[in-house]
Amino acid sequence: MTEPLIQRSPALRGLRRFGKALTTPLAPDDYLALINPLWSQRELRGRIEKVVPITDRAATLVIRPGWGWSFNHAPGQYIGIGVEIDGKFHWRSYSLSSVPLVEGKTVSITVKAMPEGFLSDHLVNGLEPGTIVRLASPQGDFVLPDPPPAKMLMLVGGSGITPVMSILRTMDRRGSIPDVVLAYSATTEDDMMFVHELRVLALRYESFTFYERFTDADGLLTADQLDTVCPDWREREAWACGPGPMLDAFSEHFESEGRLDHLHVERFTLNLASGGEGGTVTFGVGGPTVEVDGATTLLEAGEKAGINMLFGCRMGICHTCDVPLASGSIRDLRSGNEHSEPNEYIQTCISVAAGDCTLAI
Amino acid sequence: MAYADVREYTHLTDDEVDAIGAELDAIRAEIEASRGQADRDYILRVITLQRRLAAAGRITLFASFFPPAWLLGTALLGSAKILENMELGHNAMHGQWDWMNDPEIHSSNWEWDTTQPAEQWKHSHNYIHHQFTNVLGHDNDIGYGILRMSRDQKWHPANLGQPAYNALLALFFEWGVALHDLDIEAIRKGEKDIPLLKKQLRQIGRKVGKQSLKDYVMYPLLTGPFFLHTLTANFTANIIRNVWTHGIIFCGHFPDGAVHFTEEELEDETRAEWYLRQMLGSANFKGGKLLHIMSGQLGYQIEHHLFPDLPSNRYAQISVKVQDLCKRYDIPYTTGPLWKQYGQTLRTILKLSLPNKRTEDNPAPLSPRQSRRLRDDERQNRRSELGKWSGAA
Ligand code: FES
């Protein structure tokens, strides 16, 4: 779709190749970035344009990406953001809340400060406009299909609203929202992000139903209440994003009703408890061996065993921790998938042992 | 010489060796915990300086027909290459900056401005050399498979040419390094895995191609009629870098006082003993701040070998603690001015080009009792040259 100019133009591509021959083993960008940090596409970067408060504890970060960024993310996808604090980059992923548009030359993510999350707190309260951050390109398949299904249900808890917001805004921009029911839970009204924007949307589109739930007063939305909140939920394609327990409960319910195929789930937190079975992990053929349970990532296990494990984001974004699997099988905590192909690169930071396995380190 | 002898010489009990290990672990933990903004600022400053030097050198050489510009451009480019190889490349590829989680300054991504591919260097250097420091038969850095650097290595008439080989190695050091991970020794013995050899040669070929294209084709062509001037300037800058890095690296393990070890010492080696081997096998040199930066802080070779992946800008600070530890436990800490360390290295190269019987013999290792009573300056005399210690295994 919208490739960045630097990749679109054959002349620029040729120029860059010529430049690269002159600057090897670096890239021309490495020199240009000395003048402007955004003039590099070796690593995606962005500049914080502004930080817009959304609630007391949440803010939208508007980011102007540098070279190499293509504004063609699918609504609902998330990006990785690396922020430097005291010399060290910390990586997290957040859903893009902006619509995929080149015009504004910016993208935005909405971050909620978590009580225990020092990085989210820093992003909400401490980021000066002008700060340069690292970015990882959009990923994830919690996306709006094109064309959208006729009837949709969105089950959202807390900050799970951000990918849904991007989906809703995209449809709004196209001027048509199909039959959508949004059930959105937050602890209180003050804590509900985008609440006004959503109410306005509901007024403007008859086809859009906005069910607000304040859990401090009304308690959590349980799966069996679904029949009351959205009686025809079995006819709808469903999207769910929010805290782990909520997603588990709804997944179970959909499964028991034979509707699991129609539920799209986005998890932000690794569900360590439901991990692999654990087993004996060997680091390098003939290398040291440790017993691990199904909740310890291979990265942690290796580090505990004193192995020099490479890592970056520790959450499955940057692939610094990739290591080929020599034998055995592992489970990817995010997808729950088992991988057992020898030589397949696995990300040690989000994988656990599913039985005995050997990593080719 | 057996490891036990080293410990005898250093008159350390098992408990003392363990205590030293614990102290060094504590130093490591302390530095790790204190890494932060100032360290990042330092490395970013060096990177900026290096890129400016390189750009300034290349630009100056557009006037390479004009001799002062040729000289200045060559000097700028040479120092940029030195800085890149020593303080940036070597240290980044050790993972010294991995803690920053910055993908651009990370051991897995760094590629350096020399003919050896980073991947191979990380194997031959980070793994082989740092793991098996100064162990004969394991550490190919001892004489780079070309020079006889220990009395324990068998003499061969070909060693007579050593001074000449060394001069050539210094001039074309990057090529020596480029071929290093191929393990010439293994190839000669026919033990080398052929598919691996092919893969490595391909990698080297690609890297050499890019480097040569840049220095010997592209930039000279850009300066048009001054093609040859620019070419000679680039060639000279590479030679300057080669001679410098060769000198610095040879001063790390070959001055008098740096000990070589034999295979047996590796058996059952504890972490504390590994530390001890690093300290006894390495040698520092003294100098000003600029000298240390231009040598990638390898004037603190002892500290570097103890903690190869701690940020280089901290070695000076670590060295104060290590020297104090050495003093308390009466462990030798080999250092001296650069010229002296280099002179001793050259003397060893000259001397060991001759068979052992033609050169000074070794006194037996000291008994623990004796050594405990030795005053520092006396010990310095005893260790006045490499080789005096080895050979009596
Ligand atoms: S550490 Fe970033 S992908 Fe695993």
Side-chain angles (χ1 to χ4, degrees), chain A residues 22 24 45 84 89 134, chain B residues 37 100 102 104 214 219:
Chain A
L22 291 173
T24 183
R45 301 160 197 247
E84 189 211 321
F89 279 89
R134 297 288 164 93
Chain B
Q37 194 68 52
M100 297 193 302
D102 183 336
E104 282 182 23
K214 168 175 80 163
Y219 279 106

Side-chain angles (χ1 to χ4, degrees), chain A residues 299 310-322 347-350:
Chain A
L299 176 62
L310 288 179
F311 69 90
C313 61
R314 300 188 80 100
M315 59 179 308
I317 299 176
C318 69
H319 290 269
T320 308
C321 65
D322 284 14
Q347 289 166 273
T348 58
C349 68
I350 43 99

Side-chain angles (χ1 to χ4, degrees), chain B residues 14-297:
Chain B
D14 283 353
D15 286 347
E16 282 171 323
V17 173
D18 289 345
I20 291 167
E23 280 202 42
L24 289 166
D25 281 340
I27 294 175
R28 177 185 191 87
E30 187 190 326
I31 298 291
E32 273 182 354
S34 67
R35 288 176 303 201
Q37 194 68 52
D39 301 289
R40 179 171 174 84
D41 292 346
Y42 169 79
I43 200 64
L44 289 183
R45 271 203 307 277
V46 177
I47 289 176
T48 309
L49 171 68
Q50 191 273 331
R51 290 178 189 169
R52 286 195 180 143
L53 278 175
R58 299 289 187 191
I59 292 167
T60 311
L61 286 175
F62 273 92
S64 56
F65 63 93
F66 180 52
W70 187 96
L71 266 180
L72 178 65
T74 305
L76 287 168
L77 190 56
S79 15
K81 281 175 180 267
I82 286 173
L83 202 55
E84 199 281 339
N85 284 186
M86 306 298 277
E87 183 68 324
L88 296 177
H90 169 266
N91 293 332
M93 289 192 294
H94 261 294
Q96 296 186 0
W97 302 98
D98 285 6
W99 61 272
M100 297 193 302
N101 281 345
D102 183 336
E104 282 182 23
I105 313 175
H106 198 278
S107 60
S108 58
N109 290 341
W110 197 279
E111 187 54 81
W112 58 346
D113 188 13
T114 177
T115 40
Q116 192 186 35
E119 190 186 323
Q120 294 186 25
W121 186 85
K122 282 187 273 188
H123 177 260
S124 63
H125 183 88
N126 283 12
Y127 175 59
I128 301 288
H129 170 59
H130 276 267
Q131 185 89 351
F132 304 107
T133 314
N134 284 26
V135 178
L136 291 164
H138 284 262
D139 181 1
N140 292 330
D141 278 29
I142 306 177
Y144 276 69
I146 299 169
L147 305 174
R148 177 175 178 254
M149 294 305 292
S150 160
R151 296 184 90 89
D152 285 347
Q153 290 168 308
K154 236 179 103 189
W155 181 83
H156 185 274
N159 291 125
L160 286 170
Q162 242 173 220
Y165 311 153
N166 182 54
L168 284 172
L169 180 62
L171 286 172
F172 300 104
F173 192 56
E174 68 171 316
W175 299 95
V177 175
L179 304 178
H180 199 33
D181 197 39
L182 295 177
D183 197 352
I184 310 290
E185 191 70 24
I187 296 175
R188 204 164 46 206
K189 289 189 197 147
E191 291 167 359
K192 182 86 183 181
D193 178 48
I194 300 299
L196 175 66
L197 177 63
K198 282 190 184 153
K199 182 184 153 215
Q200 288 180 318
L201 285 174
R202 260 199 314 274
Q203 260 184 343
I204 297 172
R206 261 199 309 273
K207 183 83 196 283
V208 167
K210 282 188 191 166
Q211 290 290 118
S212 312
L213 182 72
K214 168 175 80 163
D215 281 343
Y216 302 134
V217 181
M218 300 283 281
Y219 279 106
L221 274 181
L222 277 183
T223 55
F226 317 124
F227 183 91
L228 272 182
H229 293 98
T230 312
L231 184 113
T232 54
N234 290 356
F235 181 76
T236 311
N238 279 331
I239 297 283
I240 293 173
R241 181 267 315 273
N242 289 348
V243 171
W244 177 258
T245 49
H246 168 273
I248 296 299
I249 285 158
F250 269 56
C251 284
H253 300 286
F254 307 122
D256 301 354
V259 192
H260 289 134
F261 305 89
T262 53
E263 221 168 359
E264 297 92 67
E265 281 124 31
L266 287 176
E267 285 169 25
D268 305 319
E269 189 179 55
T270 65
R271 182 173 170 80
E273 287 166 345
W274 180 85
Y275 272 141
L276 208 51
R277 177 156 60 83
Q278 302 307 321
M279 287 197 277
L280 296 173
S282 312
N284 284 7
F285 58 79
K286 296 175 179 161
K289 208 164 175 174
L290 183 66
L291 177 66
H292 282 302
I293 293 174
M294 292 307 277
S295 52
Q297 316 283 351

